[in-house]
Amino acid sequence: MPSMGHNIRNKLDKLTGGNDSLRRRRQGTKAFEYHVDCLPDAAREAVQARMARQLLAQSASLPARATTTSELVTGAGG
C-alpha cells in the first residue's frame, strides 16, 4: 500500500472497482470507510490481527462472571 494519504485513497478506490458495497461515506464527515475485503492480502491480515489483539485485550479487562454449581449442572438456561 502507498504511504501518502491521497495515494492510499486512490489505491482503495481502484481496488473497490466502483463497487458501492465495499465503500461508504463515514457518517458526519467527508471521509470514506472501506470494507476489509478490498484490501490486499497482507494488509487485510494485518488489520484482522490488530482487531483480534484489541478484542482479546478488551475481553481480558472484563470482570469475570460468577457461576454457581447449579448453573454448571443444569446449564445457564435452567
Side-chain angles (χ1 to χ4, degrees):
M1 291 297 291
S3 59
M4 302 278 300
H6 66 279
N7 291 333
I8 293 171
R9 284 188 296 277
N10 289 339
K11 177 78 170 180
L12 286 170
D13 287 338
K14 287 180 184 177
L15 290 170
T16 61
N19 186 346
D20 288 336
S21 66
L22 296 176
R23 182 181 93 158
R24 68 179 180 193
R25 179 146 333 247
R26 187 173 188 163
Q27 190 173 9
T29 69
K30 295 180 184 179
F32 285 98
E33 295 177 335
Y34 295 87
H35 195 279
V36 70
D37 287 344
C38 72
L39 294 172
D41 291 339
R44 181 176 45 250
E45 290 169 5
V47 169
Q48 290 172 335
R50 182 183 307 160
M51 292 300 297
R53 283 193 304 273
Q54 288 175 351
L55 288 172
L56 288 173
Q58 285 177 353
S59 66
S61 66
L62 293 175
R65 180 177 170 269
T67 305
T68 63
T69 306
S70 62
E71 285 180 329
L72 293 174
V73 173
T74 61

